[in-house]
Amino acid sequence: MVRPAPGKAPFVGPRLHELDELVASTEARGMEVMLTIWGTPAWAGGKLGPNRAPTDLDALRDFAHGLASRYPSVSRFSVWNEPNTQLFLAPQFDAAGHSVAPYAYAGIFRAAYEGIKKANPDALVAIGETGSHGRDAPSPGDPWTRHEEMRHGSAACGPRRERDRRDADARGGGSCVGGDR
């Protein structure tokens, strides 16, 4: 996992050599690469853990732009994974039991989308697929947000949205593939 350091350029060459090799060798075999942006470094999320939304979405935007700029041949990206699960995005609910993850995720997606599209306007940027254990409200030991709430929160995910049915699956996932407004 590659994470930038605060106040530094989005990338440090030696930290990306493995990803550079992976992209090059995959493309050499005639396959396409899809990169997923997930996780918040401690300095960007208040040291609360990688499953917390970044406190500085501009840093995420810069990182996504740097990633898409470094790999111009990559045209498929996804942002986060299962953002309706506490494992990947916390908190799911506030103290009053209101769902907050969809709105946090909308900000995450919007920032990453803008960074990627600035570097590669033709890139497809998919929302993270939702996990299968969604709920309407918190329950003890069950920190999931249901699919429908993630869809509503993700409706604010970016400019002109259309569902990419190729990515929709039995788990209720899908993509928010943006274009210009």
Side-chain angles (χ1 to χ4, degrees):
M1 183 171 291
V2 178
R3 298 200 175 153
K8 306 273 187 199
F11 299 102
V12 177
R15 295 181 70 191
L16 288 175
H17 74 278
E18 290 175 347
L19 187 55
D20 292 343
E21 289 177 24
L22 176 95
V23 169
S25 65
T26 301
E27 290 173 348
R29 289 171 174 79
M31 297 184 288
E32 291 186 44
V33 174
M34 182 177 89
L35 297 177
T36 299
I37 296 174
W38 175 83
T40 303
W43 63 265
K47 299 182 180 179
L48 297 173
N51 65 334
R52 298 296 178 136
T55 55
D56 182 358
L57 292 175
D58 289 334
L60 174 58
R61 187 178 295 106
D62 291 345
F63 177 78
H65 178 261
L67 190 68
S69 294
R70 185 175 183 103
Y71 304 107
S73 62
V74 174
S75 63
R76 298 174 190 274
F77 295 85
S78 66
V79 180
W80 235 252
N81 180 52
E82 297 185 9
N84 68 321
T85 67
Q86 186 86 6
L87 177 64
F88 291 103
L89 184 59
Q92 290 290 305
F93 301 96
D94 65 14
H98 299 111
S99 181
V100 296
Y103 304 100
Y105 180 69
I108 290 168
F109 182 85
R110 188 178 304 110
Y113 174 91
E114 290 170 0
I116 292 165
K117 287 295 202 168
K118 183 177 177 184
N120 183 348
D122 296 325
L124 296 177
V125 183
I127 63 170
E129 70 282 350
T130 56
S132 61
H133 303 311
R135 299 286 181 261
D136 291 335
S139 60
D142 192 12
W144 315 103
T145 301
R146 67 189 178 101
H147 300 300
E148 194 59 32
E149 291 212 22
M150 292 308 294
R151 281 199 215 38
H152 286 288
S154 296
C157 67
R160 199 181 110 220
R161 296 155 320 274
E162 53 184 79
R163 293 305 245 174
D164 180 354
R165 297 297 178 205
R166 294 169 299 182
D167 291 340
D169 60 22
R171 294 173 291 163
S175 298
C176 180
V177 179
D180 296 329
R181 285 185 198 230

